[in-house]
Amino acid sequence: MSMSVSLPLDNDGFLRRECPNCEREFKWHNGPANEEAETADVPVTYYCPLCGEPAPPDHWWTTAQLDYMQEMATPMIMRQVSDVLGDALRGSKHVTYKAGDGSDLPDPPSALSEPDDMRIVASPCHDYEPVKVPDDADGPLHCLVCGSAFAV
Ligand SMILES: [Zn+2]
Ligand SMILES: [Zn+2]
């Protein structure tokens, strides 16, 4: 079973992220930002620009994104369970099963919005992978790709 939930990007194509270590938010570019990023190896870990701690690529969801994905996924899962259950029980003499019409399912949440906040910074060592950090983040910041500290 697979499903896709799309998350909003800001107007520069950046996706909001939350560090699993320091729990502060920043943004990284969703997908390759340019040709050089496209040909570079995809890192197995990313480094938080704010605290420099590494984590695997799928550990950076914000609380709002996780809530949103869960709310989006629940009706999809319930609908699939309902279909499977209906198939499994069809033909049974002892059980009658009537699939719901979907009206009892929770409504999908309203879409997340992504404001154009934060400022773009690029590390000197991997400048093809820019990030956005909060305006009040005063360095040193860390390279998303290799974790090297750099002054801003
Ligand atoms: Zn951090
Ligand atoms: Zn770097």
Side-chain angles (χ1 to χ4, degrees), residues 23-106:
E23 296 180 352
R24 282 180 289 176
E25 292 186 351
F26 65 97
K27 298 183 191 182
W28 71 35
H29 200 273
N30 190 59
N34 48 52
E35 265 179 46
E36 201 178 346
E38 213 165 326
T39 54
D41 290 338
V42 177
V44 289
T45 53
Y46 285 107
Y47 293 83
C48 174
L50 303 170
C51 72
E53 286 296 316
D58 60 347
H59 281 48
W60 302 88
W61 303 109
T62 69
T63 310
Q65 288 167 343
L66 288 173
D67 287 350
Y68 178 71
M69 289 191 290
Q70 196 171 7
E71 283 177 54
M72 288 294 286
T74 303
M76 292 189 230
I77 291 169
M78 287 173 68
R79 200 160 281 134
Q80 296 206 15
V81 167
S82 164
D83 288 350
V84 170
L85 205 56
D87 287 347
L89 296 178
R90 195 163 296 139
S92 163
K93 287 194 185 70
H94 306 291
V95 184
T96 50
Y97 176 80
K98 191 176 171 299
D101 59 4
S103 60
D104 52 342
L105 297 177

Coordinates of all heavy atoms in Angstrom, one line a residue, residues 23-106:
E23 N 15.5 20.6 17.6 CA 14.1 20.9 17.4 C 13.8 22.3 16.9 O 12.7 22.8 17.0 CB 13.3 20.6 18.7 CG 13.3 19.2 19.1 CD 12.5 18.9 20.4 OE1 12.1 19.8 21.0 OE2 12.4 17.7 20.7
R24 N 14.8 22.9 16.3 CA 14.6 24.2 15.6 C 14.2 24.0 14.2 O 14.6 23.0 13.6 CB 15.8 25.1 15.8 CG 15.9 25.7 17.2 CD 17.1 26.6 17.3 NE 18.3 25.8 17.4 CZ 19.5 26.3 17.4 NH1 19.7 27.6 17.4 NH2 20.6 25.5 17.5
E25 N 13.6 25.0 13.6 CA 13.2 24.8 12.2 C 14.1 25.5 11.2 O 14.6 26.6 11.6 CB 11.7 25.3 12.0 CG 10.7 24.5 12.7 CD 9.3 24.9 12.4 OE1 9.1 25.9 11.8 OE2 8.4 24.1 12.8
F26 N 14.3 24.9 10.1 CA 15.0 25.6 9.0 C 14.3 25.1 7.7 O 13.3 24.4 7.8 CB 16.5 25.3 9.0 CG 16.8 23.8 8.8 CD1 17.2 23.4 7.5 CD2 16.7 22.9 9.9 CE1 17.5 22.0 7.4 CE2 17.1 21.6 9.7 CZ 17.4 21.1 8.4
K27 N 14.8 25.4 6.5 CA 14.3 24.8 5.3 C 15.4 24.3 4.4 O 16.5 24.9 4.4 CB 13.5 25.9 4.5 CG 12.3 26.4 5.3 CD 11.6 27.4 4.3 CE 10.6 28.2 5.1 NZ 9.9 29.2 4.2
W28 N 15.2 23.2 3.7 CA 16.1 22.8 2.7 C 15.4 22.9 1.3 O 14.2 22.9 1.3 CB 16.8 21.5 3.0 CG 16.0 20.3 2.9 CD1 15.0 19.9 2.0 CD2 16.2 19.1 3.7 NE1 14.6 18.7 2.3 CE2 15.3 18.1 3.3 CE3 17.1 18.8 4.8 CZ2 15.2 16.9 3.9 CZ3 17.0 17.5 5.3 CH2 16.1 16.6 4.9
H29 N 16.2 22.9 0.3 CA 15.6 22.9 -1.1 C 15.0 21.6 -1.4 O 15.7 20.6 -1.2 CB 16.6 23.4 -2.1 CG 16.0 23.9 -3.4 ND1 15.6 23.1 -4.4 CD2 15.7 25.1 -3.7 CE1 15.1 23.8 -5.3 NE2 15.1 25.1 -5.0
N30 N 13.8 21.6 -1.9 CA 13.1 20.3 -2.2 C 13.6 19.9 -3.6 O 13.2 20.5 -4.6 CB 11.6 20.5 -2.1 CG 10.9 19.1 -2.2 OD1 11.1 18.2 -1.4 ND2 10.1 19.0 -3.2
G31 N 14.3 18.8 -3.7 CA 14.8 18.3 -4.9 C 16.1 19.1 -5.3 O 16.4 20.1 -4.5
P32 N 16.8 18.8 -6.3 CA 18.0 19.4 -6.7 C 17.8 20.9 -6.9 O 16.9 21.3 -7.7 CB 18.5 18.7 -7.9 CG 17.7 17.4 -8.0 CD 16.4 17.7 -7.3
A33 N 18.6 21.8 -6.3 CA 18.5 23.2 -6.4 C 19.1 23.7 -7.8 O 18.7 24.7 -8.3 CB 19.1 23.9 -5.3
N34 N 20.0 22.9 -8.3 CA 20.7 23.3 -9.6 C 21.3 22.1 -10.2 O 21.2 21.0 -9.6 CB 21.7 24.4 -9.3 CG 22.5 24.0 -8.1 OD1 23.1 22.9 -8.0 ND2 22.6 24.9 -7.1
E35 N 22.0 22.3 -11.3 CA 22.6 21.1 -12.0 C 23.7 20.4 -11.2 O 23.8 19.2 -11.2 CB 23.3 21.6 -13.3 CG 22.4 21.5 -14.5 CD 23.0 22.0 -15.7 OE1 24.2 21.6 -16.0 OE2 22.4 22.7 -16.5
E36 N 24.5 21.2 -10.4 CA 25.5 20.6 -9.6 C 24.9 19.7 -8.5 O 25.4 18.6 -8.2 CB 26.4 21.7 -9.0 CG 27.8 21.1 -8.5 CD 28.6 22.2 -8.0 OE1 28.3 23.4 -8.1 OE2 29.7 21.9 -7.4
A37 N 23.8 20.1 -7.9 CA 23.1 19.3 -6.9 C 22.6 18.1 -7.5 O 22.5 17.0 -6.9 CB 22.0 20.2 -6.2
E38 N 22.2 18.2 -8.7 CA 21.5 17.0 -9.4 C 22.5 15.9 -9.6 O 22.2 14.7 -9.5 CB 21.0 17.5 -10.8 CG 19.8 16.8 -11.2 CD 19.1 17.5 -12.3 OE1 19.1 18.8 -12.4 OE2 18.5 16.9 -13.2
T39 N 23.8 16.3 -9.9 CA 24.8 15.2 -10.2 C 25.5 14.8 -8.9 O 26.2 13.8 -8.9 CB 25.8 15.8 -11.2 OG1 26.4 17.0 -10.7 CG2 25.2 16.0 -12.6
A40 N 25.4 15.5 -7.8 CA 26.0 15.1 -6.6 C 25.4 13.9 -6.0 O 24.2 13.6 -6.2 CB 26.0 16.3 -5.6
D41 N 26.2 13.1 -5.2 CA 25.6 11.9 -4.5 C 24.6 12.4 -3.5 O 24.8 13.4 -2.9 CB 26.7 11.2 -3.8 CG 27.6 10.5 -4.8 OD1 27.2 10.2 -5.9 OD2 28.8 10.2 -4.4
V42 N 23.5 11.7 -3.3 CA 22.5 12.0 -2.3 C 23.1 11.6 -1.0 O 23.5 10.4 -0.8 CB 21.2 11.2 -2.6 CG1 20.2 11.5 -1.4 CG2 20.6 11.7 -3.9
P43 N 23.3 12.5 0.0 CA 23.9 12.1 1.3 C 23.0 11.1 2.0 O 21.8 11.1 1.9 CB 23.9 13.5 2.0 CG 23.6 14.5 1.0 CD 22.8 13.9 -0.1
V44 N 23.7 10.3 2.8 CA 22.9 9.3 3.7 C 22.4 10.0 4.9 O 21.5 9.5 5.6 CB 23.7 8.0 4.0 CG1 23.8 7.2 2.8 CG2 25.0 8.4 4.6
T45 N 23.1 11.1 5.3 CA 22.7 11.9 6.4 C 22.8 13.3 6.0 O 23.5 13.7 5.2 CB 23.6 11.7 7.7 OG1 24.9 11.9 7.3 CG2 23.4 10.3 8.3
Y46 N 21.9 14.1 6.7 CA 22.0 15.6 6.5 C 22.4 16.2 7.9 O 22.1 15.6 8.9 CB 20.7 16.2 6.1 CG 20.4 15.9 4.6 CD1 19.4 15.0 4.2 CD2 21.1 16.6 3.6 CE1 19.1 14.8 2.9 CE2 20.8 16.4 2.3 CZ 19.8 15.5 1.9 OH 19.6 15.2 0.6
Y47 N 23.1 17.3 7.9 CA 23.5 18.0 9.1 C 22.6 19.2 9.3 O 22.4 19.9 8.4 CB 25.0 18.4 9.0 CG 25.9 17.2 8.9 CD1 26.2 16.6 7.7 CD2 26.5 16.7 10.1 CE1 27.0 15.5 7.7 CE2 27.4 15.6 10.0 CZ 27.6 15.0 8.8 OH 28.5 13.9 8.8
C48 N 22.2 19.3 10.6 CA 21.4 20.5 10.9 C 22.2 21.7 10.8 O 23.3 21.8 11.3 CB 20.9 20.3 12.4 SG 20.0 21.8 12.9
P49 N 21.7 22.7 10.0 CA 22.5 24.0 9.8 C 22.6 24.7 11.1 O 23.5 25.6 11.3 CB 21.6 24.8 8.8 CG 20.6 23.8 8.2 CD 20.5 22.7 9.2
L50 N 21.7 24.5 12.1 CA 21.7 25.3 13.3 C 22.6 24.7 14.4 O 23.2 25.4 15.1 CB 20.3 25.5 13.8 CG 19.3 26.1 12.7 CD1 17.9 26.1 13.1 CD2 19.8 27.6 12.5
C51 N 22.5 23.3 14.6 CA 23.3 22.7 15.7 C 24.4 21.8 15.1 O 25.3 21.4 15.9 CB 22.4 22.0 16.6 SG 21.7 20.5 16.0
G52 N 24.3 21.4 13.9 CA 25.4 20.6 13.3 C 25.3 19.1 13.5 O 26.2 18.4 13.1
E53 N 24.2 18.7 14.2 CA 24.0 17.3 14.4 C 23.5 16.6 13.1 O 22.6 17.1 12.5 CB 23.0 17.0 15.6 CG 23.6 17.3 16.9 CD 24.8 16.4 17.3 OE1 24.7 15.2 17.1 OE2 25.8 16.9 17.8
P54 N 24.0 15.4 12.8 CA 23.5 14.6 11.6 C 22.3 13.8 11.9 O 22.1 13.4 13.1 CB 24.7 13.7 11.2 CG 25.4 13.5 12.6 CD 25.2 14.7 13.4
A55 N 21.4 13.5 10.9 CA 20.3 12.6 11.0 C 20.0 12.1 9.6 O 20.2 12.8 8.6 CB 19.1 13.3 11.7
P56 N 19.4 10.9 9.5 CA 19.0 10.4 8.2 C 18.0 11.3 7.5 O 17.2 12.1 8.2 CB 18.4 9.0 8.5 CG 18.9 8.7 9.8 CD 19.1 10.0 10.6
P57 N 17.9 11.3 6.2 CA 17.0 12.2 5.5 C 15.5 12.2 5.9 O 14.8 13.2 5.7 CB 17.1 11.8 4.0 CG 18.5 11.1 3.9 CD 18.7 10.5 5.3
D58 N 15.0 11.1 6.4 CA 13.6 11.0 6.8 C 13.3 11.4 8.2 O 12.3 11.0 8.8 CB 13.0 9.7 6.4 CG 13.7 8.5 7.1 OD1 14.8 8.8 7.7 OD2 13.2 7.4 7.1
H59 N 14.3 12.0 8.9 CA 14.1 12.3 10.3 C 13.8 13.8 10.6 O 13.9 14.3 11.7 CB 15.3 12.0 11.1 CG 15.4 10.5 11.4 ND1 15.2 9.5 10.5 CD2 15.7 9.8 12.6 CE1 15.3 8.3 11.0 NE2 15.6 8.5 12.3
W60 N 13.4 14.6 9.5 CA 13.4 16.0 9.6 C 12.0 16.6 9.5 O 11.8 17.8 9.3 CB 14.3 16.6 8.6 CG 15.7 16.2 8.7 CD1 16.2 15.1 8.1 CD2 16.8 16.8 9.4 NE1 17.6 14.9 8.4 CE2 17.9 16.0 9.2 CE3 16.8 17.9 10.2 CZ2 19.2 16.3 9.8 CZ3 18.1 18.2 10.8 CH2 19.2 17.4 10.6
W61 N 10.9 15.7 9.7 CA 9.6 16.3 9.6 C 9.3 17.2 10.7 O 9.6 17.0 11.9 CB 8.6 15.1 9.6 CG 8.8 14.1 8.6 CD1 9.3 12.8 8.8 CD2 8.6 14.2 7.2 NE1 9.4 12.1 7.6 CE2 9.0 13.0 6.6 CE3 8.2 15.2 6.4 CZ2 8.9 12.8 5.2 CZ3 8.1 15.0 5.0 CH2 8.5 13.8 4.4
T62 N 8.5 18.3 10.4 CA 8.0 19.2 11.5 C 6.8 18.5 12.1 O 6.2 17.7 11.5 CB 7.7 20.6 10.9 OG1 6.5 20.4 10.1 CG2 8.8 21.2 10.1
T63 N 6.5 18.9 13.3 CA 5.3 18.4 14.0 C 4.1 18.6 13.1 O 3.2 17.8 13.0 CB 5.1 19.1 15.3 OG1 6.4 19.1 16.0 CG2 4.1 18.4 16.2
A64 N 4.0 19.8 12.5 CA 2.8 20.1 11.7 C 2.7 19.2 10.5 O 1.6 18.8 10.1 CB 2.8 21.6 11.2
Q65 N 3.9 18.9 9.9 CA 3.9 18.0 8.7 C 3.4 16.6 9.1 O 2.7 15.9 8.4 CB 5.3 18.0 8.1 CG 5.6 19.3 7.3 CD 7.0 19.4 7.0 OE1 7.9 18.7 7.5 NE2 7.3 20.3 6.0
L66 N 3.9 16.1 10.3 CA 3.6 14.8 10.7 C 2.1 14.7 11.0 O 1.4 13.7 10.6 CB 4.4 14.4 12.0 CG 5.8 14.1 11.7 CD1 6.6 13.9 13.1 CD2 6.0 12.8 10.9
D67 N 1.5 15.7 11.7 CA 0.1 15.7 12.0 C -0.7 15.7 10.7 O -1.7 15.0 10.6 CB -0.3 17.0 12.8 CG 0.2 16.9 14.2 OD1 0.7 15.8 14.7 OD2 0.2 17.9 14.9
Y68 N -0.2 16.5 9.8 CA -0.9 16.7 8.5 C -0.9 15.4 7.7 O -2.0 14.9 7.2 CB -0.2 17.8 7.7 CG -0.8 18.0 6.3 CD1 -2.1 18.6 6.1 CD2 -0.1 17.6 5.1 CE1 -2.6 18.8 4.9 CE2 -0.6 17.8 3.9 CZ -1.9 18.4 3.8 OH -2.4 18.6 2.5
M69 N 0.2 14.7 7.7 CA 0.3 13.4 6.9 C -0.5 12.4 7.6 O -1.2 11.6 6.9 CB 1.8 13.0 6.8 CG 2.6 13.9 5.9 SD 4.2 13.2 5.5 CE 5.0 13.4 7.0
Q70 N -0.6 12.4 8.9 CA -1.4 11.4 9.6 C -2.9 11.6 9.4 O -3.6 10.7 9.1 CB -1.1 11.5 11.1 CG -1.6 10.3 11.9 CD -1.1 10.3 13.3 OE1 -0.5 11.3 13.8 NE2 -1.4 9.2 14.0
E71 N -3.3 12.9 9.4 CA -4.7 13.2 9.1 C -5.1 12.9 7.7 O -6.2 12.5 7.4 CB -4.9 14.7 9.4 CG -5.1 15.1 10.9 CD -5.2 16.6 11.1 OE1 -6.2 17.1 10.4 OE2 -4.4 17.2 11.8
M72 N -4.1 13.1 6.8 CA -4.4 12.8 5.4 C -4.5 11.3 5.2 O -5.3 10.8 4.4 CB -3.3 13.3 4.5 CG -3.3 14.8 4.3 SD -4.7 15.4 3.4 CE -4.3 14.9 1.7
A73 N -3.6 10.6 5.9 CA -3.5 9.1 5.6 C -4.6 8.4 6.3 O -5.1 7.3 5.7 CB -2.2 8.6 6.2
T74 N -5.2 8.8 7.4 CA -6.2 8.1 8.1 C -7.4 7.7 7.2 O -7.8 6.6 7.1 CB -6.6 8.8 9.4 OG1 -5.4 9.0 10.2 CG2 -7.6 8.0 10.2
P75 N -8.0 8.7 6.5 CA -9.2 8.3 5.7 C -8.8 7.4 4.6 O -9.6 6.5 4.2 CB -9.6 9.7 5.1 CG -9.0 10.7 6.0 CD -7.7 10.1 6.5
M76 N -7.6 7.5 4.0 CA -7.1 6.6 2.9 C -7.0 5.2 3.4 O -7.4 4.3 2.8 CB -5.8 7.1 2.4 CG -5.8 8.4 1.6 SD -4.2 8.7 0.8 CE -3.8 10.3 1.3
I77 N -6.4 5.1 4.6 CA -6.2 3.7 5.2 C -7.6 3.1 5.5 O -7.9 2.0 5.2 CB -5.4 3.8 6.5 CG1 -3.9 4.2 6.1 CG2 -5.4 2.5 7.2 CD1 -3.0 4.5 7.2
M78 N -8.5 3.9 6.1 CA -9.8 3.4 6.5 C -10.6 2.9 5.3 O -11.3 1.9 5.3 CB -10.6 4.5 7.3 CG -10.0 4.7 8.7 SD -10.8 6.0 9.5 CE -12.5 5.4 9.8
R79 N -10.4 3.7 4.2 CA -11.1 3.3 3.0 C -10.6 2.0 2.4 O -11.4 1.2 2.0 CB -11.0 4.5 1.9 CG -12.0 4.4 0.8 CD -12.1 5.8 0.2 NE -12.8 6.8 0.9 CZ -12.5 8.0 1.2 NH1 -11.3 8.5 0.7 NH2 -13.2 8.8 1.9
Q80 N -9.3 1.8 2.5 CA -8.7 0.6 2.0 C -9.1 -0.6 2.8 O -9.4 -1.7 2.4 CB -7.2 0.7 1.9 CG -6.8 1.8 0.9 CD -5.4 1.6 0.3 OE1 -4.8 0.5 0.4 NE2 -4.8 2.6 -0.3
V81 N -9.1 -0.4 4.2 CA -9.5 -1.5 5.1 C -10.9 -1.9 4.8 O -11.2 -3.0 4.7 CB -9.3 -1.0 6.5 CG1 -10.0 -2.0 7.5 CG2 -7.8 -0.9 6.9
S82 N -11.7 -0.9 4.6 CA -13.1 -1.1 4.3 C -13.3 -1.9 3.0 O -14.1 -2.9 3.0 CB -13.9 0.2 4.2 OG -15.1 0.1 3.6
D83 N -12.5 -1.6 2.0 CA -12.6 -2.4 0.8 C -12.2 -3.8 1.0 O -12.8 -4.8 0.5 CB -11.7 -1.8 -0.3 CG -12.3 -0.5 -0.8 OD1 -13.4 -0.2 -0.5 OD2 -11.5 0.2 -1.5
V84 N -11.0 -4.0 1.7 CA -10.5 -5.3 1.9 C -11.5 -6.2 2.7 O -11.7 -7.3 2.4 CB -9.1 -5.2 2.6 CG1 -8.6 -6.6 3.0 CG2 -8.1 -4.6 1.6
L85 N -12.0 -5.6 3.7 CA -12.9 -6.3 4.6 C -14.2 -6.7 3.8 O -14.7 -7.8 4.0 CB -13.3 -5.3 5.8 CG -13.8 -5.9 7.1 CD1 -12.8 -6.9 7.6 CD2 -14.1 -4.8 8.1
G86 N -14.7 -5.8 3.0 CA -15.8 -6.1 2.2 C -15.6 -7.3 1.3 O -16.4 -8.2 1.2
D87 N -14.4 -7.4 0.6 CA -14.0 -8.5 -0.2 C -13.9 -9.8 0.6 O -14.4 -10.8 0.2 CB -12.7 -8.2 -0.9 CG -12.8 -7.2 -2.0 OD1 -13.9 -6.9 -2.4 OD2 -11.8 -6.7 -2.5
A88 N -13.3 -9.7 1.8 CA -13.1 -10.9 2.6 C -14.4 -11.5 3.1 O -14.6 -12.7 3.2 CB -12.2 -10.5 3.8
L89 N -15.4 -10.6 3.3 CA -16.6 -11.1 3.9 C -17.7 -11.4 2.9 O -18.7 -12.0 3.2 CB -17.2 -10.1 4.9 CG -16.3 -9.8 6.1 CD1 -16.9 -8.7 7.0 CD2 -16.1 -11.1 6.9
R90 N -17.4 -11.0 1.6 CA -18.4 -11.3 0.6 C -18.6 -12.8 0.4 O -17.6 -13.5 0.4 CB -18.0 -10.6 -0.7 CG -19.1 -10.6 -1.8 CD -18.7 -9.6 -2.8 NE -18.6 -8.2 -2.3 CZ -17.7 -7.3 -2.7 NH1 -16.7 -7.7 -3.5 NH2 -17.6 -6.1 -2.1
G91 N -19.7 -13.3 0.4 CA -19.9 -14.8 0.2 C -20.1 -15.5 1.5 O -20.4 -16.7 1.5
S92 N -19.8 -14.8 2.6 CA -20.0 -15.5 3.9 C -21.5 -15.6 4.2 O -22.2 -14.6 4.0 CB -19.3 -14.7 5.0 OG -19.8 -15.1 6.2
K93 N -21.9 -16.7 4.7 CA -23.4 -16.9 5.0 C -23.7 -16.3 6.3 O -24.9 -15.9 6.5 CB -23.7 -18.4 5.1 CG -23.7 -19.2 3.8 CD -24.4 -20.5 4.0 CE -24.3 -21.4 2.7 NZ -22.9 -21.8 2.4
H94 N -22.7 -16.1 7.1 CA -23.1 -15.8 8.5 C -22.9 -14.3 8.8 O -23.4 -13.8 9.8 CB -22.2 -16.6 9.5 CG -22.3 -18.1 9.2 ND1 -23.5 -18.8 9.5 CD2 -21.4 -19.0 8.7 CE1 -23.3 -20.0 9.1 NE2 -22.1 -20.2 8.6
V95 N -22.1 -13.7 8.0 CA -21.9 -12.3 8.2 C -22.3 -11.4 7.1 O -22.1 -11.8 5.9 CB -20.3 -12.0 8.4 CG1 -20.0 -10.6 8.8 CG2 -19.7 -13.0 9.4
T96 N -23.0 -10.4 7.4 CA -23.3 -9.5 6.3 C -22.5 -8.2 6.5 O -22.5 -7.7 7.7 CB -24.8 -9.1 6.2 OG1 -25.3 -8.8 7.5 CG2 -25.6 -10.3 5.7
Y97 N -21.9 -7.8 5.5 CA -21.1 -6.6 5.7 C -21.5 -5.6 4.6 O -21.6 -5.9 3.5 CB -19.6 -7.0 5.5 CG -18.7 -5.8 5.5 CD1 -18.3 -5.2 6.7 CD2 -18.3 -5.2 4.4 CE1 -17.5 -4.1 6.8 CE2 -17.5 -4.0 4.4 CZ -17.1 -3.5 5.6 OH -16.3 -2.4 5.7
K98 N -21.8 -4.4 5.1 CA -22.2 -3.3 4.2 C -21.1 -2.2 4.3 O -20.9 -1.7 5.4 CB -23.6 -2.8 4.6 CG -24.2 -1.9 3.5 CD -25.6 -1.5 4.0 CE -26.1 -0.4 3.0 NZ -25.3 0.8 3.1
A99 N -20.5 -2.0 3.2 CA -19.5 -0.9 3.2 C -20.1 0.4 3.4 O -21.2 0.7 2.8 CB -18.7 -0.9 1.9
G100 N -19.5 1.2 4.1 CA -20.0 2.6 4.3 C -19.9 3.4 3.1 O -19.1 3.0 2.1
D101 N -20.6 4.5 3.0 CA -20.5 5.3 1.8 C -19.4 6.4 1.9 O -19.2 7.2 1.0 CB -21.8 6.0 1.5 CG -22.3 6.8 2.6 OD1 -21.5 7.0 3.6 OD2 -23.4 7.4 2.5
G102 N -18.6 6.3 3.0 CA -17.5 7.2 3.1 C -17.9 8.4 3.9 O -17.1 9.2 4.3
S103 N -19.2 8.6 4.2 CA -19.6 9.8 4.9 C -19.2 9.8 6.4 O -19.2 10.8 7.0 CB -21.1 10.0 4.8 OG -21.8 8.9 5.3
D104 N -18.9 8.6 6.9 CA -18.5 8.5 8.3 C -17.0 8.7 8.4 O -16.5 8.6 9.5 CB -18.9 7.2 8.8 CG -18.4 6.0 8.0 OD1 -18.1 6.2 6.8 OD2 -18.4 4.9 8.5
L105 N -16.3 8.9 7.3 CA -14.8 9.1 7.4 C -14.5 10.5 7.8 O -15.2 11.4 7.4 CB -14.2 8.7 6.1 CG -14.3 7.3 5.7 CD1 -13.7 7.1 4.3 CD2 -13.7 6.3 6.7
P106 N -13.4 10.7 8.5 CA -13.0 12.1 8.8 C -12.7 12.9 7.6 O -12.2 12.3 6.6 CB -11.8 11.9 9.7 CG -11.3 10.5 9.6 CD -12.5 9.7 9.1

